[in-house]
Amino acid sequence: MKKTFALLLAAILMLATLTACGGGDKPADTTGGDQQTQEPANTPEETPEAPEEPAAGGNIGVCIYKFDDAFMTTYRNALEKMLKEKGFEVTVVDGNNDQAKQNEQINTFITQGVDALIINPVMTSAADTIIATVKDAGIPTVLINREPTAEQMAAYDKLVYVGCDARQSGTMQGELILDTPNKGDINGDGKVSYIMIQGDPENVDAQYRTEFSVKALTDAGMEVEELNLTRGDWDREKGQTICANDLAQFGDKIEVVFCNNDDMAIGALQAIQAANRKVNEDIYLVGVDALDAALNEVSNGNMTGTVLNDAEGQAAGAVAEMEKLLGGATYAANEQSVYVDYVKVTPDNVGDFMK
Ligand code: GAL
């Protein structure tokens, strides 16, 4: 009796295990794909009519403006992983921050007969040439990270931009300062004195973050004083040098260090610490991207805050739009930008973003 019961129990357990494993007939997932985000963080508002069957597989060429960029490294890794997990053949190339080189890479991809291109332009000003080239070749193209104008994109209906609205990130940086106990006016002289460490000024992300971070302060009725604005080209070392020079020149006058991205903010933090200043006590420091290093510093109180530039969400959005294009979708003029939201990161919510 005991033996029959034990056998019965074993049979039930075996059945339960098989059911939990989906009957064991599922192919083994060797890609770790169950952790991936398949959809962009927010559903694009102006998506075109997508044909019913998105194309499966194909050869995809990905052009990145330069590999040696902290944020774009996270982005390209996410993009490559998602494309491969979906069964695409992917080749990712490094433009080395050289537009002429990237133009050649685009032409090579076209000669090789890729099915679609995903391009992070080296220079926004090259958008017209890039768009004309892919249009001539009839290659469906997703532009990422560096947004051309709506007029430029209107030249080709098999082209879409996936990115973020940089104005939003600038506004959020300003709000991070407004959320501090003295709204950025540490010395109480009635104005917020800041330095601005700018990315590559040719890029709308740099232009809008510079403008809208300060606008958020003035819109809230704060008086502001710009002590210095220097281009740091998104680069950590430049961020450090610029901040060190400004601290030597302006000293305690600096109340806020605005950095257009986190990598420059991490560099600026090194200069702040070397000058024996203390973030959130006698100086504020904000960036954009939510790089792991910046999340750590926000959590440790060494950065006032940052703004999530959602690499995973944008990569997922780029892949989704590319699949629609491969399925034959076209885009109407003025409906060629798909945005993923930025998110403000403060010491209160930083834990939600740390891996
Ligand atoms: C921005 C990002 C920067 C840099 C830049 C490159 O969106 O915040 O860190 O990667 O793109 O274009």
Side-chain angles (χ1 to χ4, degrees):
M1 179 67 186
K2 243 185 180 172
K3 201 171 162 196
T4 320
F5 179 71
L7 278 173
L8 196 70
L9 197 68
I12 290 170
L13 276 175
M14 224 165 98
L15 200 70
T17 316
L18 276 176
T19 315
C21 295
D25 57 358
K26 216 169 125 191
D29 181 0
T30 52
T31 58
D34 52 0
Q35 286 179 7
Q36 85 187 75
T37 321
Q38 297 280 358
E39 293 295 326
N42 64 343
T43 314
E45 275 164 29
E46 325 94 343
T47 44
E49 292 272 307
E52 304 219 322
E53 294 273 327
N59 281 309
I60 313 301
V62 179
C63 297
I64 300 296
Y65 94 98
K66 67 168 181 171
F67 280 6
D68 181 20
D69 173 298
F71 170 71
M72 283 314 301
T73 299
T74 312
Y75 191 152
R76 91 180 129 88
N77 289 339
L79 188 60
E80 190 172 2
K81 183 167 178 268
M82 283 176 201
L83 286 167
K84 284 186 173 161
E85 281 171 1
K86 281 185 163 257
F88 291 103
E89 291 287 324
V90 194
T91 310
V92 187
V93 292
D94 181 358
N96 290 120
N97 209 21
D98 177 345
Q99 188 60 58
K101 178 168 185 184
Q102 185 174 70
N103 292 345
E104 276 174 32
Q105 291 170 330
I106 293 170
N107 285 325
T108 306
F109 274 139
I110 290 172
T111 313
Q112 288 167 348
V114 290
D115 296 296
L117 283 165
I118 298 180
I119 303 173
N120 162 208
V122 174
M123 299 187 72
T124 318
S125 56
D128 284 330
T129 313
I130 294 173
I131 293 168
T133 307
V134 295
K135 184 184 177 185
D136 269 2
I139 307 282
T141 301
V142 182
L143 299 178
I144 57 167
N145 181 253
R146 292 181 169 185
E147 186 175 11
T149 63
E151 294 71 42
Q152 288 174 313
M153 289 193 277
Y156 185 35
D157 63 0
K158 283 196 243 168
L159 178 113
V160 62
Y161 172 77
V162 178
C164 300
D165 181 352
R167 286 170 283 213
Q168 189 187 35
S169 53
T171 303
M172 287 179 175
Q173 285 192 296
E175 288 170 359
L176 287 166
I177 300 303
L178 289 170
D179 289 345
T180 63
N182 41 32
K183 298 186 178 175
D185 183 13
I186 296 173
N187 58 22
D189 66 353
K191 60 180 190 244
V192 179
S193 304
Y194 66 89
I195 60 163
M196 181 68 67
I197 307 184
Q198 202 178 27
D200 173 358
E202 202 252 357
N203 185 317
V204 284
D205 285 5
Q207 293 160 14
Y208 279 150
R209 287 175 194 165
T210 298
E211 180 186 347
F212 282 77
S213 52
V214 176
K215 187 172 181 298
L217 295 181
T218 52
D219 282 354
M222 300 299 290
E223 207 181 301
V224 295
E225 176 189 26
E226 183 179 274
L227 296 169
N228 211 356
L229 181 155
T230 318
R231 67 181 282 178
D233 296 309
W234 311 116
D235 180 79
R236 183 178 299 203
E237 270 177 41
K238 288 188 187 173
Q240 199 236 327
T241 310
I242 292 164
C243 192
N245 288 342
D246 285 349
L247 284 165
Q249 189 178 347
F250 302 107
D252 290 347
K253 276 194 186 164
I254 304 176
E255 295 169 297
V256 174
V257 179
F258 281 114
C259 296
N260 282 173
N261 78 342
D262 279 347
D263 219 24
M264 296 190 296
I266 297 293
L269 176 61
Q270 288 161 3
I272 287 169
Q273 289 173 331
N276 289 320
R277 300 283 295 270
K278 181 83 188 84
V279 171
N280 292 339
E281 286 180 19
D282 60 30
I283 196 162
Y284 294 118
L285 172 66
V286 289
V288 176
D289 282 340
L291 296 181
D292 288 346
L295 293 174
N296 278 332
E297 299 302 358
V298 172
S299 153
N300 296 335
N302 292 325
M303 272 179 70
T304 309
T306 184
V307 177
L308 172 73
N309 192 1
D310 186 357
E312 294 262 327
Q314 289 172 75
V319 174
E321 296 306 319
M322 185 202 75
E323 286 184 305
K324 286 182 198 163
L325 284 168
L326 282 173
T330 53
Y331 290 75
N334 292 315
E335 293 187 0
Q336 287 171 282
S337 279
V338 175
Y339 291 130
V340 172
D341 273 329
Y342 284 106
V343 186
K344 229 189 295 182
V345 183
T346 66
D348 291 338
N349 69 356
V350 68
D352 300 345
F353 302 90
M354 294 174 86
K355 288 172 193 125

